[in-house]
Amino acid sequence: MHSSLARQLALPVRPGCADPGRLDRSGSLRCRAEAAPPVSVARTGPYTGRDPEAKKPAWLRQRAAQGGKYARMRESLGELKLNTVCVEAQCPNIGECWNGGGGAGGEGDGIATATIMVLGDTCTRGCRFCAVKTSNKPPPPDPMEPLNTALAVVSWGVDYVVLTSVDRDDLPDGGSDHFVQTVRALKELKPGILVECLTSDFRGDLEAVSSLANSGLDVFAHNIETVRSLQRIVRDPRAGYEQSLSVLKHAKNCKEGMITKSSIMLGLGETDEEVRQAMTDLRAIGVDILTLGQYLQPTDKHLTVREYVTPEKFQFWKEYGESIGFRYVASGPLVRSSYRAGELFVENLVRNQKARPAASSS
């Protein structure tokens, strides 16, 4: 099995395009002849271990999180015993988001955002890109967590919140009802708040998807994470490309006006054509919003980076995605599934969509 995996991973790094120029009518990438190649990263083994000589490009270097807003947010979350994906998944944007934009030091506009992680901090799956801790038997969910989460979020005065969770394959519904309770508590305490749920695949249980989609949430998000060919290498075997597409398609179809969202990591060895196909597959099932970001290896036990994708290439994918019909594409080296700039855009998108029926009926 090990030698088979090594053979799969022995593919050469595909040259990319640092200055992609324009799309032709077929959607093909036309690189300028003088374009510099992407920054390739050597590896010490089949997607394991860290190359001590590999250095991150300048565009990936972030200042350490600091600032008054960041400190108060961290203290508040600790007192309320709430988990965030910002901390658990070692998100590089934590300073920017918690400080209200403008950078890690707190020079922003004051609109702080955080992604609350419900159902505990321990996942039942072992995806090879993720820093969240894992166990076959995590602690049971806190029955007070939905209410406590709602009380905390409402006290912060935010108008848009993202809820996410670990995978909970140990629960009959995968944790869907816990999400539902949290959404309903938020809407009851603050009816005007917009709620995005970034969910697991609930093991493909479409009844669990329907229950959450009809709970009152405004955006249903679920990540395919990577292209089709890398699914078994990157994700836990219980996840899958088709299963994720099925979840997103069902969420879109079971509630009129539902906005759906997904995310893809780049830098794991995918080709341009594979990224293009994944984007096409998402649009074919009506996904509205896409985020693309650079995969960064959280520890030496996780998958290594095959390529540092340039900011110019990320800009190309943004333009390409919006050209094929995505309503919004957030694409950049440090973009993550729950990305502050994206959340502010999505909030405006949802509010404008809600306002249209009211305007047309008056």
Side-chain angles (χ1 to χ4, degrees), residues 63 96 99-109 340:
R63 283 189 296 160
E96 178 185 355
N99 276 315
E107 311 88 348
D109 54 24
R340 179 181 181 276

Side-chain angles (χ1 to χ4, degrees), residues 99-144:
N99 276 315
E107 311 88 348
D109 54 24
I111 306 173
T113 63
T115 299
I116 303 299
M117 193 165 75
V118 298
L119 291 163
D121 63 356
T122 305
C123 187
T124 55
R125 297 188 185 178
C127 296
R128 298 173 69 195
F129 65 88
C130 184
V132 174
K133 63 185 178 183
T134 64
S135 171
N136 289 329
K137 294 183 178 180
D142 176 1
M144 293 303 296

Side-chain angles (χ1 to χ4, degrees), residues 60-135:
L60 286 172
R61 293 173 194 154
Q62 288 277 76
R63 283 189 296 160
Q66 55 186 316
K69 297 186 187 75
Y70 168 83
R72 287 192 295 275
M73 178 75 85
R74 182 142 201 159
E75 182 180 0
S76 172
L77 290 164
E79 290 173 352
L80 294 163
K81 298 181 179 179
L82 296 177
N83 301 303
T84 67
V85 75
C86 321
V87 172
E88 302 300 331
Q90 303 177 16
C91 181
N93 302 313
I94 188 170
E96 178 185 355
C97 293
W98 288 18
N99 276 315
E107 311 88 348
D109 54 24
I111 306 173
T113 63
T115 299
I116 303 299
M117 193 165 75
V118 298
L119 291 163
D121 63 356
T122 305
C123 187
T124 55
R125 297 188 185 178
C127 296
R128 298 173 69 195
F129 65 88
C130 184
V132 174
K133 63 185 178 183
T134 64
S135 171

Side-chain angles (χ1 to χ4, degrees), residues 4-5 21 24 50 60 86 93 101 108 113 115 145 163 165 171 188 234 259 264 278 298 323 328 339 360:
S4 173
L5 178 59
D24 64 18
R50 185 187 298 275
L60 286 172
C86 321
N93 302 313
T113 63
T115 299
E145 186 177 58
L163 304 175
S165 79
L171 302 177
E188 183 175 342
V234 173
I259 293 175
I264 302 172
S323 78
Y328 178 67
Y339 182 59
S360 60

Side-chain angles (χ1 to χ4, degrees), residues 6 71 75 94 99 126 131 211 233 262 286 299 353:
E75 182 180 0
I94 188 170
N99 276 315
S211 177
I233 296 168
S262 195
T299 76
Q353 181 166 297

